[in-house]
Amino acid sequence: MKKVINTKKKACVIGVLVSLMFVITGMVFFVLQKDDQNHSKHSTENEQSAEKKKEDNYLSLSTSDRETADLYAELYEMSREDVAEQQRKTGDWEKTAEELEKLFFTIPENKKYQMEKEGYALEDLQEAERLSAKTGRKAMELAEAKGKVSEHRRWSDIVKDSEILTTEEQLGLTKEQVQKLEDMSLEKEDRVEVAVLLMNEMYTFDEVIEELDAGKTVADLKKQKTSSLN
């Protein structure tokens, strides 16, 4: 009889312990879940606060500066708020443009290191930077399109020959302008010189064509403009 009672007592104790375990497990789960929700909430709030700060930076710019930010955002394929943030750091549009250009045409070294660990080839990352300058496409976009080594993609599938810009185009001439100069029998060296003259705002393209039609050479245009500056 005592043996039966002891057995029942043990069963009761075990039942209580099991119940306590469930209660404790439930409490731990609840606390962890609550903590995770709080963490997610704080992360969301921090992200929203950061976005609000970026938006405020953009709105704090003058009208002309906002127009410049909009232009750079379109040119460098980024948000106008990110452009404004960069401008806030440099305080100078020329320096901002240099930084944005660097971000567009190159991949930061720490990002390269991280991508190598993820399976990208360093040679491909460097080639993406080179092709970025030749195509006007973002270096990071090209690297991601090429993919990891295990994906076995070829550059010829990513960048078509028609996308490669000539030296003149890289300096700012359009394909139509290059064709116009070619039709006037200008050699590549002279076409590049014309692109440099336009880039330095010494002439407009129409003025160059007018001068060439009048019988002047590209060398004459350079001398003429240099003399007027002196």
Side-chain angles (χ1 to χ4, degrees), residues 7 13 37 78-79 83 93 96 114 120 128 155 157 161 169 183 185 199 223:
T7 301
V13 171
Q37 288 175 346
M78 61 196 308
S79 72
V83 173
W93 277 116
T96 295
Q114 179 186 335
Y120 290 84
W155 277 115
D157 297 327
D161 289 342
E169 289 170 335
D183 293 342
S185 301
M199 185 172 63
K223 289 178 183 176

Side-chain angles (χ1 to χ4, degrees), residues 41-208:
K41 182 181 178 182
H42 290 152
S43 296
T44 302
E45 289 175 350
N46 289 338
E47 289 174 6
Q48 290 175 343
S49 176
E51 290 302 316
K52 180 69 168 57
K53 186 177 180 181
K54 285 184 178 181
E55 179 67 19
D56 289 342
N57 283 337
Y58 172 78
L59 294 175
S60 69
L61 297 175
S62 66
T63 301
S64 61
D65 279 346
R66 286 201 298 271
E67 290 175 353
T68 302
D70 292 344
L71 178 64
Y72 281 160
E74 183 177 353
L75 181 63
Y76 294 109
E77 300 176 13
M78 61 196 308
S79 72
R80 63 187 190 177
E81 291 79 14
D82 284 338
V83 173
E85 177 67 15
Q86 192 63 51
Q87 167 64 7
R88 187 187 67 80
K89 291 177 181 177
T90 64
D92 180 274
W93 277 116
E94 188 173 339
K95 291 179 180 177
T96 295
E98 290 175 359
E99 288 301 315
L100 296 179
E101 187 171 308
K102 187 188 299 181
L103 290 170
F104 188 90
F105 291 112
T106 64
I107 301 172
E109 291 303 316
N110 61 334
K111 184 64 177 177
K112 282 182 185 174
Y113 176 74
Q114 179 186 335
M115 293 178 77
E116 273 192 276
K117 291 179 68 175
E118 293 172 356
Y120 290 84
L122 178 59
E123 294 77 9
D124 284 339
L125 300 181
Q126 293 170 336
E127 181 67 5
E129 291 178 325
R130 189 182 72 82
L131 288 172
S132 176
K134 288 197 167 190
T135 62
R137 290 171 60 182
K138 202 168 187 176
M140 182 60 74
E141 172 200 308
L142 288 168
E144 291 175 343
K146 177 63 167 64
K148 301 174 183 178
V149 176
S150 59
E151 295 176 279
H152 304 295
R153 293 178 190 155
R154 297 178 299 177
W155 277 115
S156 58
D157 297 327
I158 310 301
V159 178
K160 306 303 179 186
D161 289 342
S162 58
E163 292 185 81
I164 303 295
L165 303 177
T166 63
T167 305
E168 303 95 297
E169 289 170 335
Q170 290 179 48
L171 290 172
L173 292 185
T174 65
K175 291 184 183 296
E176 292 75 17
Q177 289 173 332
V178 173
Q179 186 61 56
K180 177 69 175 176
L181 295 175
E182 287 178 348
D183 293 342
M184 298 180 74
S185 301
L186 262 67
E187 298 294 332
K188 184 177 181 67
E189 183 180 347
D190 283 337
R191 296 197 301 271
V192 169
E193 289 292 349
V194 168
V196 172
L197 288 173
L198 267 61
M199 185 172 63
N200 292 329
E201 299 181 350
M202 293 182 172
Y203 293 92
T204 65
F205 187 72
D206 288 339
E207 288 172 341
V208 169

